[in-house]
Each structure stands twice: as structure tokens, then as C-alpha cells.
Amino acid sequence: MTILAIVLAGLLGGISPRLLARLPEPTAEPDPDMPEKIEYAILGATPRLALWLAVTAAALAAIAAATISEPKLLPVWIPIAAATPVLAWVDWKVHLLPYLIVAPLYVVTWLLVGVSALLMQDASVLLHALLGNLAVFGFYFVLGVIGPMGYGDVRLSAVVGVALGPLGVVATFYGVFFGMVIGAIVGLVLVRGRLGTKTPIAFGPYLLLGAFAALWV
């Protein structure tokens, strides 16, 4: 299962630039505080991007395989491992998390949680996934209302909540905690010497890295 998870995540990560290049461009007016929008086709055509995304996706799948104690939950993390590098790449470059990547990832995550629940013959897996979904999404939704958190990050948090929920309350808590800590540290570095200025921060990568970091707990 471990080798299969690594290979699948790597293959999906490797083809993700082609999928990215085919995404329609956002129709909303650009935010003047955000970096200039680079077309998805240009981002997807970056030299050697497929290799880097494939290697990163495979590495994340290896982390999941090495740390998740219940093998039947590992398939849930394969598409997340595959999507994390491409989402991070886009968010770093243009501060956007494409809806047409996040929304299907959310659906697939729920489907695989359902398959895992069937294989484990444990309906509580679905309940824990739902609770994780509601808790993590609710937390980030509040941050989006009262703070500068983008709604793309809020949507992505639901995926993280669904995946972490079946691993327990502790993993879910640390997934949020680590994501916030990593994001805060990077944010402090980015605004160093420029306090009081608007410095947009792509939080999506740190949200996802926090989830994988929580698997070690």
C-alpha cells in the first residue's frame, strides 16, 4: 500500500501542471492588493514543474504512509498529497486557490473517507470526518470574517478538516495549530521592516503543510 500510495501521488502530481493549464481563468475583478494574475497556462508551462510537483507529492504521500496508523485511511491522503504541491505553487505565485481544484478535491476526499469507513466497517469514521469538517471550516470561516483570511483558504480548510477528523481530535487540533504557526512565522519574515503595510500572504501552503505535520503527532 505504501509504494502504491507514493507512486499514485507522484503520478497525479506530475500531471497536475497539464490540468492547471486547462483551467479557465477567474472572471472576478483582480484585487489591487494582490500580485498581478499570471495565466494558469503560463504557470503550468513552467520548466521542470511537473518533476518538482511529482517529487513533492510522492514525498508527502510517503509521510502520510509512514505516520498514519490505520492503513485503510491512507487512500484519503493520496489526492491531498498530489494536490498540495500544485495548490501551493499557484497560491505562492498569484495568491489564489483555484476553485476547480479545491472543490473536486473536497468531493474526492469525502468519497475516499466513505470507502475507508466501509473497509473498516466503522460508521464513526464518517462522523469524525463531519465533525472535523465543521470544526476546521468553522474556525477558518470566522477568521475570514474578522480578518484577512481569503475565502479560498477557508474552502481548502474544509478538505483538511475532513481528512484530519478520522485521525482524532488531537491530530485535527495540531493540523490547525501547525498551519497557523507556520503561516505566522512566514508572515513575520515577509513583513519584517514593513510593519503597517499590506503584505499579502499565501496561507494555503501553510494550511496544507500544517495538516501533514500533524500526522507526526
Side-chain angles (χ1 to χ4, degrees):
M1 175 63 79
T2 298
I3 299 299
L4 180 60
I6 293 172
V7 171
L8 282 176
L11 289 175
L12 291 171
I15 66 173
S16 62
R18 294 188 179 185
L19 300 177
L20 173 64
R22 287 170 169 76
L23 290 182
E25 294 294 331
T27 56
E29 289 294 325
D31 188 331
D33 294 327
M34 293 299 170
E36 183 179 353
K37 176 67 174 70
I38 304 171
E39 292 182 4
Y40 292 138
I42 295 175
L43 288 175
T46 302
R48 294 184 292 279
L49 179 62
L51 174 61
W52 285 110
L53 298 188
V55 170
T56 306
L60 291 174
I63 290 173
T67 52
I68 295 175
S69 58
E70 174 50 70
K72 294 183 178 66
L73 289 174
L74 178 57
V76 175
W77 288 83
I78 294 174
I80 298 176
T84 292
V86 67
L87 286 173
W89 168 252
V90 176
D91 206 13
W92 275 324
K93 298 297 287 186
V94 297
H95 291 254
L96 284 174
L97 289 167
Y99 175 79
L100 290 179
I101 294 180
V102 176
L105 181 62
Y106 178 73
V107 174
V108 169
T109 301
W110 261 116
L111 289 174
L112 291 176
V113 166
V115 171
S116 296
L118 286 175
L119 293 175
M120 298 168 65
Q121 297 183 342
D122 185 356
S124 70
V125 171
L126 294 172
L127 175 60
H128 293 153
L130 177 60
L131 293 175
N133 186 160
L134 295 175
V136 178
F137 177 81
F139 175 74
Y140 279 98
F141 181 81
V142 172
L143 289 183
V145 171
I146 66 176
M149 190 71 64
Y151 197 65
D153 299 318
V154 177
R155 282 195 295 258
L156 182 60
S157 72
V159 177
V160 171
V162 173
L164 286 175
L167 300 178
V169 174
V170 174
T172 304
F173 169 79
Y174 276 108
V176 175
F177 175 74
F178 288 148
M180 296 296 293
V181 169
I182 296 170
I185 292 173
V186 174
L188 287 174
V189 172
L190 290 177
V191 302
R192 185 176 56 187
R194 293 177 292 171
L195 294 179
T197 63
K198 289 186 176 180
T199 303
I201 298 173
F203 191 76
Y206 318 122
L207 172 64
L208 293 164
L209 288 177
F212 280 94
L215 298 180
W216 293 96
V217 177

